């Protein structure tokens, strides 16, 4: 009898503890609404504050930027040691990994999945993910876009209402990484990338493209000017292992991000076009760091997307937890290569897509039909007058992935760049990126490579507030006077790849393209263009310089 009583009371205590834990379990907005709604900025902040109140020792919140409409953007820091600033990391012997969501604020599942991840790490048995690393999370990077929640912003399969893609100024934040015209990306680059120096950056999105079954898609840095060893490591080692683990442990399938090359014939291939530095994950690659673009499948329902996104970031953190020191060592080697091997090398300026590898995709049988006259008015002309419709019949395709880019044309780099004193605004921007700039303390003359512009074509269409330029011209060797107060950017520095990317006049996504030199690259009365205001020097300026 006594034994039975003891057992009963034990059972009661267990039940009580369980229901208490359940009572106090913080739920995200989708969990509370059966995945009908996504959270507002206030609701995210509310969740974060309540979770932090329960775990003040392992969870910290700092704010690193203020949006145009005045919302403070949170960075959540999860660590066993209670780290709240980057200076304290070195005492832990650990390194940070950064996960960011909601840059395109209509793409919402990352915002919800990162909140659930925090809860799982802090109170649902996933504290193992903090054992070897510091986890940095930006759950809501675009709060202004997020809070414009309404119907009809996305064609995703739920939630009913979502925010918009652009920020409070009307910019697409995932096109701003080079020009830094938004308070959000400017602070992300200068306050998070530069100060915390995460070994990995994960950027969470929702796809908008082709039909398939897999709920998660991914890509590493695609910019071919990035360190090739790191790019190869991502494609060949890291992503396949994360992909495999995601399926084995969580039962979720994933494939590389992309779209069918030819809508009419899926077997022709799968292509990822996004190789420019304006995209966050590519930009991060130009900084010699690893990055993962997460694009969750838009046609999957909201709950499936949150579940897939959550499992994917856990699979990533499991990988980094095991391999973080190896990754950091690879990145340090890439930094060293950037210091020693970029100057005087061939820098690619145009590319063609080439096969990365073959893979299989679970998709559908498609039906092709001509548009009716009515449909022709409804759809854009580039669809070519026919529609490709998905049937319910599932089909597996084996097809080539085109996500690698082979250089077609090169320019030769030199020791570094000299910027004329007129380019203070550009220098300011380079400094914000973390690029080392020195001031030349004395006038001098030297033989340098100058870029003689023969033509500037500006796009007719406005893109992100710009008419993008395409320059033509040739480099000529010329003796010029370099005035005191000019600036020197050496290519013997860890961010040399990024510096060349921004300053080369033929760089497809460089500062000349983004109109930063428009004041000077104009035609004179003689119909000739003025000189490009960045010289390529053949040697370090042989005069006194000081660091800016
Ligand atoms: Zn997106």
């Amino acid at each position: 009898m006594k034994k039975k009583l003891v057992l009963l009371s034990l059972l009661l205590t267990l039940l009580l503890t369980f229901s208490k834990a359940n009572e106090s379990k913080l739920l995200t907005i989708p969990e509370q609404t059966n995945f009908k709604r996504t959270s507002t900025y206030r609701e995210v902040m509310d969740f974060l504050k309540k979770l932090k109140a329960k775990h003040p020792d392992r969870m910290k919140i700092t704010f690193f930027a203020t949006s145009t409409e005045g919302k403070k953007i949170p960075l959540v820091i999860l660590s066993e040691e209670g780290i709240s600033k980057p200076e304290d990391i070195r005492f832990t012997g650990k390194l940070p990994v950064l996960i960011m969501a909601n840059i395109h604020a209509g793409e919402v599942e990352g915002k919800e999945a990162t909140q659930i991840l925090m809860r799982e790490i802090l109170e649902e048995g996933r504290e193992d993910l903090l054992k070897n690393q510091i986890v940095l999370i930006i759950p809501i990077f675009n709060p202004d876009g997020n809070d414009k929640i309404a119907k009809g912003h996305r064609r995703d399969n739920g939630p009913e209402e979502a925010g918009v893609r652009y920020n409070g100024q009307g910019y697409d934040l995932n096109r701003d990484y080079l020009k830094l015209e938004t308070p959000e990306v400017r602070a992300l680059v200068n306050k998070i990338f530069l100060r915390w120096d995460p070994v990995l950056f994960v950027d969470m999105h929702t796809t908008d493209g082709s039909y398939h079954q897999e709920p998660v898609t991914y890509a590493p840095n695609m910019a071919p000017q990035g360190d090739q060893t790191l790019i190869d490591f991502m494609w060949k080692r890291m992503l396949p292992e994360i992909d495999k683990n995601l399926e084995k442990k969580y039962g979720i399938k994933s494939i590389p991000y992309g779209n069918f090359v030819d809508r009419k014939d899926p077997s022709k291939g799968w292509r990822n076009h996004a190789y420019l530095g304006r995209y966050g994950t590519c930009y991060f690659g130009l900084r010699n760091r690893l990055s993962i673009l997460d694009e969750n499948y838009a046609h999957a329902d909201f709950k499936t997307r949150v579940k897939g996104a959550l499992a994917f970031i856990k699979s990533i953190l499991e990988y980094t937890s095991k391999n973080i020191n190896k990754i950091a060592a690879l990145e340090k080697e890439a930094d060293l290569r950037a210091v020693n091997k970029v100057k005087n090398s061939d820098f690619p300026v145009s590319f063609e897509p080439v096969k990365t590898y073959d893979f299989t995709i679970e998709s559908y049988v498609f039906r092709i039909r001509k548009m009716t006259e009515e449909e022709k008015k409804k759809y854009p002309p580039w669809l070519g007058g026919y529609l490709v419709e998905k049937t319910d019949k599932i089909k597996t395709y084996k097809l080539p992935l085109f996500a690698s880019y082979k250089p077609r044309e090169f320019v030769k780099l030199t020791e570094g760049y000299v910027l004329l004193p007129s380019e203070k605004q550009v220098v300011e921007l380079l400094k914000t990126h973390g690029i080392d700039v020195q001031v030349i303390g004395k006038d001098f003359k030297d033989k340098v490579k100058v870029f003689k512009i023969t033509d500037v074509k500006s796009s007719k269409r406005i893109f992100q507030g710009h008419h993008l330029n395409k320059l033509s011209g040739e480099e000529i060797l010329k003796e010029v006077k370099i005035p005191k107060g000019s600036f020197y950017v050496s290519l013997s520095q860890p961010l040399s790849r990024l510096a060349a990317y921004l300053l080369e006049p033929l760089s497809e996504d460089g500062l000349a393209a983004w109109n930063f030199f428009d004041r000077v690259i104009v035609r004179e009365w003689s119909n000739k263009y003025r000189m490009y205001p960045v010289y390529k020097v053949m040697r370090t300026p042989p005069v006194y310089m000081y660091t800016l």
Side-chain angles (χ1 to χ4, degrees), residues 263 367-369 371 375 379 383 385-389:
R263 293 184 305 134
R367 196 169 35 218
I368 306 161
R369 70 166 176 84
M371 285 183 194
E375 283 167 340
Y379 291 103
L383 284 175
Y386 62 86
L387 288 174
V388 179
E389 290 168 335

Side-chain angles (χ1 to χ4, degrees), residues 490-527:
S490 165
L491 282 178
S492 303
Q493 61 171 309
L495 291 180
S496 60
R497 294 176 191 281
L498 180 61
Y501 197 94
L502 292 167
L503 294 174
E504 277 301 321
L506 296 179
S507 174
E508 191 180 349
D509 216 19
L511 295 181
W514 283 106
N515 308 114
F516 279 82
F517 301 115
D518 279 13
R519 283 171 294 106
V520 270
I521 51 172
V522 289
R523 278 177 202 262
E524 300 284 10
W525 62 271
S526 60
N527 221 15

Side-chain angles (χ1 to χ4, degrees), residues 103-104 107 154 165 174 204-207 293 295:
I103 181 167
H104 291 147
E107 304 169 14
R154 297 272 310 169
R165 188 177 177 87
N174 203 25
M204 302 182 77
H205 293 251
T206 315
T207 64
L293 171 76
E295 291 270 1

